[in-house]
Amino acid sequence: MTILVTGGAGFIGSNFVLDWLARSDEPVIDLDRLTYAGNLENLRSLAGDPRHIFVRGDIGDFDLVATLLAEHRPRAIINFAAESHVDRSIHGPEDFIQTNIVGTYRLLEAARGYWNALPEADKAAFRFLHVSTDEVYGSLGPDDPPFSENNRYEPNSPYSASKAASDHLVRAWHHTYGLPVLTTNCSNNYGPYQFPEKLIPLMIVNALAGKPLPVYGDGLNVRDWLYVKDHCAAIRVVLARGRVGETYNIGGWNEKTNLEIVRIVCRLLDERRPRPDGASHASLITFVKDRPGHDRRYAIDATKIARELGWRPAETFETGIEKTVAWYLDHPDWVAHVQSGAYREWIGRHYGE
Ligand code: NAD
Ligand code: DAU
């Protein structure tokens, strides 16, 4: 048996692949275009491991995906590949439309062609798991209940609109063609290998470099934070036991304002890597212009996945953020390579491109 993972060189995808192969000998075909966010250094520990078959390519390349499916005959596709950064989607939505909408459409079509031709037993067992976001539900007021799977879709950014569109395509491919799909909508992840354009790693690397810590607006926007390995565990559970055609919300039951997050990161860095001048890293906090259309609050009601599938996060925010800060402190080379662009040279050396 084999699974096909897309976007497996990105933040969550690489954590998923590493965790999968730490638990199982079932091979992973890893299809990733290696955009700026894809980083094969995340998967360095798998070098030479025959269970990890890396293919550089685009989910929107129908012929490539069809060939991979025919060749490796996976029992499941787990689609992580996406443009994922809200700020980039505001500056340039085109890539988000291409990968998140057109790419998902072509991947679904290739999957449908492959699935249709499978023998009945394999056809029944096949799964297409689409990894999505809580941002499709829009923004909550301070007293609103957290997002359940029944909330209306009200995406507000080009990123969340493109993810919402992809979720709708996945749903339609199930209802119209019978493709056995599962969709997960998860809250903000943090942990090892997160590209330092996202809040938590950006704050860590800036603080270590003595640079300003840019907090948008008043810093009181709320996100629900989940340690990435808990997200990966939830995806494994949904893949194994989720009901076909259903969506599952995944979250950490952990709402915090951005300012709280930044202050916790600063406190941990003060303990582990005090500044030479003795000042707190929090003295670097700088309020900057807000993100246009900035959603005020996200929160996930993860009752359904707990009730139906027995999944709950293993980490609290306190344990998860300690591990995360420790990981960044322990991996200065990874940080330096990502920041300098040297990781692309590594890819070139490794693949001769
Ligand atoms: P990421 O940006 O770190 O990684 C995305 C990966 O996809 C990269 O390796 C990139 O090279 C690859 N990719 C991009 N376009 C591609 C294409 N056309 N074909 C093949 N590969 C392509 O993203 P992430 O944070 O790991 O997010 C993974 C998925 O999880 C995304 O679908 C995202 O919407 C979703 N999600 C993320 C979060 C979060 O907090 N990061 C939360 C909920 C859901
Ligand atoms: O909710 C799930 C989503 O979480 C995922 O679907 C996205 O892929 C992922 O990028 C993330 O989106 P956010 O926009 O919430 O994450 P980001 O880390 O960019 O920002 C988190 C919060 O911090 C948000 O309110 C904006 C704020 N922020 C972010 C940056 C980069 C700042 O205040 N300063 C910053 O410099």
Side-chain angles (χ1 to χ4, degrees), residues 23-289:
R23 282 171 171 73
S24 143
D25 281 334
E26 183 174 5
V28 176
I29 317 301
D30 185 348
L31 173 64
D32 195 297
R33 198 178 122 197
L34 296 181
T35 68
Y36 79 93
N39 185 352
L40 285 177
E41 278 196 48
N42 303 1
L43 301 164
R44 191 176 248 168
S45 61
L46 297 176
D49 188 328
R51 300 172 305 162
H52 180 238
I53 298 150
F54 184 81
V55 179
R56 185 175 190 176
D58 196 321
I59 57 166
D61 184 341
F62 177 91
D63 292 340
L64 171 64
V65 177
T67 303
L68 286 175
L69 293 172
E71 193 179 329
H72 297 285
R73 306 190 66 74
R75 68 175 174 97
I77 297 173
I78 300 135
N79 183 29
F80 292 94
E83 290 294 334
S84 70
H85 190 36
V86 174
D87 293 324
R88 287 185 190 251
S89 83
I90 295 168
H91 288 285
E94 175 77 24
D95 288 345
F96 290 73
I97 306 302
Q98 281 307 326
T99 283
N100 299 0
I101 305 179
V102 179
T104 302
Y105 154 68
R106 297 230 175 94
L107 186 66
L108 281 165
E109 277 297 79
R112 181 164 76 95
Y114 164 70
W115 170 76
N116 259 328
L118 286 174
E120 277 315 310
D122 295 349
K123 204 173 170 185
F126 183 79
R127 296 289 181 269
F128 183 106
L129 192 156
H130 180 61
V131 179
S132 192
T133 171
D134 60 358
E135 302 203 10
V136 298
Y137 298 122
S139 186
L140 292 169
D143 300 321
D144 288 339
F147 301 128
S148 83
E149 289 79 1
N150 298 323
N151 270 64
R152 269 174 51 173
Y153 269 38
E154 293 180 342
N156 291 320
S157 72
Y159 163 69
S160 55
S162 67
K163 290 296 291 187
S166 67
D167 294 8
H168 291 324
L169 292 171
V170 169
R171 176 188 165 90
W173 259 240
H174 174 63
H175 282 267
T176 304
Y177 304 114
L179 189 70
V181 307
L182 297 155
T183 299
T184 55
N185 294 88
C186 188
S187 63
N188 284 61
N189 285 213
Y190 67 99
Y193 302 115
Q194 188 167 29
F195 197 81
E197 65 182 357
K198 307 280 171 69
L199 181 71
I200 288 179
L202 181 76
M203 296 299 146
I204 298 172
V205 304
N206 276 16
L208 290 175
K211 292 184 180 164
L213 308 180
V215 173
Y216 298 161
D218 61 7
L220 299 181
N221 300 65
V222 172
R223 298 291 184 264
D224 172 355
W225 294 92
L226 179 70
Y227 191 61
V228 63
K229 290 182 181 296
D230 277 327
H231 186 188
C232 295
I235 291 170
R236 290 195 300 273
V237 166
V238 173
L239 180 66
R241 299 201 307 277
R243 284 187 291 134
V244 166
E246 291 290 314
T247 67
Y248 292 90
N249 281 358
I250 304 170
W253 298 106
N254 178 63
E255 290 184 59
K256 291 209 178 336
T257 66
N258 294 336
L259 212 44
E260 284 177 276
I261 295 289
V262 177
R263 289 199 173 121
I264 291 168
V265 167
C266 288
R267 181 176 48 74
L268 290 172
L269 289 174
D270 290 344
E271 289 165 17
R272 285 148 201 251
R273 195 65 63 84
R275 280 163 55 92
D277 63 5
S280 168
H281 291 90
S283 63
L284 297 168
I285 292 174
T286 309
F287 291 93
V288 299
K289 194 170 166 295

